Amino acid sequence: MRHALNLATALAVGLMPVAALAQSMSPMRGEVNSFTDAFAVRVFPANPYNQKIKIEVHVYDQDFQPVEARISPAIFQLGAQASRPVLVVVPFDGAAERKVRICTESIPFPNEQTQIRAQICGKFFGHRKS
Protein backbone atom coordinates (compact mmCIF):
# COMPACT_ATOMS: atom_id res chain seq x y z
CA MET A 1 0.00 0.00 0.00
CA ARG A 2 2.79 2.40 0.93
CA HIS A 3 4.61 1.59 -2.34
CA ALA A 4 1.45 2.39 -4.35
CA LEU A 5 1.05 5.71 -2.52
CA ASN A 6 4.68 6.66 -3.20
CA LEU A 7 4.25 5.74 -6.87
CA ALA A 8 1.08 7.83 -7.13
CA THR A 9 2.83 10.79 -5.47
CA ALA A 10 5.83 10.47 -7.79
CA LEU A 11 3.55 10.37 -10.83
CA ALA A 12 1.59 13.41 -9.66
CA VAL A 13 4.76 15.40 -9.01
CA GLY A 14 6.23 14.28 -12.32
CA LEU A 15 3.13 15.38 -14.23
CA MET A 16 2.74 18.80 -12.62
CA PRO A 17 5.02 20.67 -15.05
CA VAL A 18 3.09 19.25 -18.00
CA ALA A 19 -0.19 20.51 -16.57
CA ALA A 20 1.35 23.90 -15.83
CA LEU A 21 2.21 24.33 -19.51
CA ALA A 22 -1.33 24.09 -20.79
CA GLN A 23 -2.47 25.88 -23.90
CA SER A 24 -4.51 28.94 -22.99
CA MET A 25 -6.92 31.52 -24.35
CA SER A 26 -8.15 34.74 -22.85
CA PRO A 27 -10.73 35.83 -22.05
CA MET A 28 -12.53 32.62 -21.15
CA ARG A 29 -15.92 34.29 -20.62
CA GLY A 30 -17.62 37.38 -21.89
CA GLU A 31 -20.86 39.21 -22.50
CA VAL A 32 -21.33 41.45 -25.50
CA ASN A 33 -24.14 43.91 -26.27
CA SER A 34 -24.73 44.58 -29.96
CA PHE A 35 -27.06 46.83 -31.94
CA THR A 36 -26.55 44.83 -35.16
CA ASP A 37 -27.44 41.34 -36.36
CA ALA A 38 -24.12 39.93 -35.06
CA PHE A 39 -21.72 40.34 -32.16
CA ALA A 40 -17.94 40.30 -32.11
CA VAL A 41 -15.48 38.82 -29.63
CA ARG A 42 -11.69 39.15 -29.68
CA VAL A 43 -9.86 36.23 -28.07
CA PHE A 44 -6.14 35.70 -27.56
CA PRO A 45 -4.90 32.11 -27.96
CA ALA A 46 -1.51 31.59 -26.29
CA ASN A 47 1.25 29.03 -26.82
CA PRO A 48 3.19 28.24 -23.61
CA TYR A 49 5.50 25.77 -25.34
CA ASN A 50 9.05 26.30 -26.61
CA GLN A 51 8.10 25.33 -30.16
CA LYS A 52 5.54 26.66 -32.61
CA ILE A 53 2.11 25.05 -32.82
CA LYS A 54 -0.69 25.12 -35.36
CA ILE A 55 -3.95 26.62 -34.07
CA GLU A 56 -7.53 26.32 -35.33
CA VAL A 57 -10.36 28.40 -33.86
CA HIS A 58 -13.92 27.04 -33.98
CA VAL A 59 -17.30 28.26 -32.72
CA TYR A 60 -19.93 25.95 -31.24
CA ASP A 61 -23.36 26.36 -29.64
CA GLN A 62 -24.12 25.18 -26.09
CA ASP A 63 -24.42 21.58 -27.31
CA PHE A 64 -21.09 21.75 -29.20
CA GLN A 65 -22.79 21.88 -32.60
CA PRO A 66 -20.81 24.01 -35.10
CA VAL A 67 -21.93 27.62 -35.54
CA GLU A 68 -21.43 29.55 -38.79
CA ALA A 69 -19.22 32.43 -37.66
CA ARG A 70 -16.56 34.60 -39.28
CA ILE A 71 -13.18 33.89 -37.69
CA SER A 72 -10.10 35.90 -38.59
CA PRO A 73 -7.71 34.14 -38.73
CA ALA A 74 -9.30 30.71 -38.31
CA ILE A 75 -6.08 28.71 -38.82
CA PHE A 76 -2.55 29.92 -38.11
CA GLN A 77 0.81 29.01 -36.63
CA LEU A 78 1.65 30.43 -33.23
CA GLY A 79 5.28 30.82 -32.26
CA ALA A 80 6.85 29.66 -29.03
CA GLN A 81 5.69 31.61 -25.96
CA ALA A 82 3.48 33.76 -28.24
CA SER A 83 -0.09 35.02 -28.25
CA ARG A 84 -2.13 36.74 -30.94
CA PRO A 85 -5.60 38.24 -31.35
CA VAL A 86 -8.38 36.43 -33.22
CA LEU A 87 -11.62 38.21 -34.15
CA VAL A 88 -14.80 36.12 -34.04
CA VAL A 89 -18.08 37.53 -35.43
CA VAL A 90 -21.18 35.51 -34.51
CA PRO A 91 -24.61 36.14 -36.12
CA PHE A 92 -27.69 36.22 -33.92
CA ASP A 93 -29.71 34.35 -36.58
CA GLY A 94 -32.85 36.26 -35.60
CA ALA A 95 -32.55 35.59 -31.85
CA ALA A 96 -32.31 38.27 -29.16
CA GLU A 97 -29.53 36.35 -27.36
CA ARG A 98 -26.90 33.86 -28.40
CA LYS A 99 -24.65 31.66 -26.26
CA VAL A 100 -21.58 30.22 -27.94
CA ARG A 101 -18.34 28.48 -27.11
CA ILE A 102 -15.23 29.73 -28.84
CA CYS A 103 -12.62 27.00 -28.90
CA THR A 104 -8.91 27.10 -29.61
CA GLU A 105 -7.51 23.78 -30.82
CA SER A 106 -3.84 22.99 -31.21
CA ILE A 107 -3.18 20.70 -34.14
CA PRO A 108 -0.04 18.50 -34.10
CA PHE A 109 2.35 18.92 -37.00
CA PRO A 110 2.87 15.82 -39.15
CA ASN A 111 5.87 13.67 -38.19
CA GLU A 112 5.93 15.00 -34.61
CA GLN A 113 6.42 12.49 -31.81
CA THR A 114 3.44 13.75 -29.84
CA GLN A 115 0.12 13.71 -31.69
CA ILE A 116 -2.09 15.17 -28.96
CA ARG A 117 -4.84 17.53 -30.09
CA ALA A 118 -5.65 19.95 -27.27
CA GLN A 119 -8.83 22.03 -27.07
CA ILE A 120 -9.75 24.86 -24.72
CA CYS A 121 -13.12 26.63 -24.88
CA GLY A 122 -14.56 29.82 -23.47
CA LYS A 123 -18.25 30.75 -23.04
CA PHE A 124 -19.58 33.95 -24.58
CA PHE A 125 -23.03 35.56 -24.47
CA GLY A 126 -24.32 37.99 -27.08
CA HIS A 127 -27.30 40.26 -26.34
CA ARG A 128 -29.01 42.04 -29.23
CA LYS A 129 -30.19 45.52 -28.28
CA SER A 130 -32.89 47.29 -30.27
Side-chain angles (χ1 to χ4, degrees):
M1 177 71 168
R2 183 178 170 105
H3 177 68
L5 183 59
N6 288 340
L7 180 59
T9 303
L11 282 173
V13 171
L15 292 176
M16 284 192 323
V18 173
L21 287 179
Q23 171 185 328
S24 67
M25 179 181 74
S26 64
M28 291 296 294
R29 293 184 179 274
E31 276 192 59
V32 178
N33 293 317
S34 176
F35 292 95
T36 67
D37 59 351
F39 67 98
V41 176
R42 187 174 309 272
V43 294
F44 295 84
N47 174 9
Y49 306 110
N50 291 324
Q51 63 208 30
K52 69 181 177 183
I53 59 175
K54 182 178 177 184
I55 296 286
E56 288 185 9
V57 178
H58 299 279
V59 181
Y60 302 100
D61 66 13
Q62 291 175 280
D63 301 318
F64 281 96
Q65 297 302 310
V67 169
E68 289 292 324
R70 292 188 312 265
I71 305 165
S72 181
I75 301 172
F76 55 94
Q77 290 186 24
L78 193 55
Q81 306 294 320
S83 176
R84 69 152 300 154
V86 174
L87 181 63
V88 179
V89 180
V90 181
F92 282 106
D93 286 340
E97 292 186 328
R98 187 104 193 243
K99 297 177 183 179
V100 296
R101 297 177 191 271
I102 299 174
C103 300
T104 299
E105 300 176 8
S106 62
I107 311 302
F109 288 112
N111 302 323
E112 290 286 323
Q113 283 184 331
T114 306
Q115 291 293 310
I116 298 172
R117 186 175 182 134
Q119 180 185 63
I120 185 166
C121 299
K123 292 182 182 181
F124 298 90
F125 302 93
H127 304 280
R128 187 174 185 180
K129 301 294 182 181
S130 31

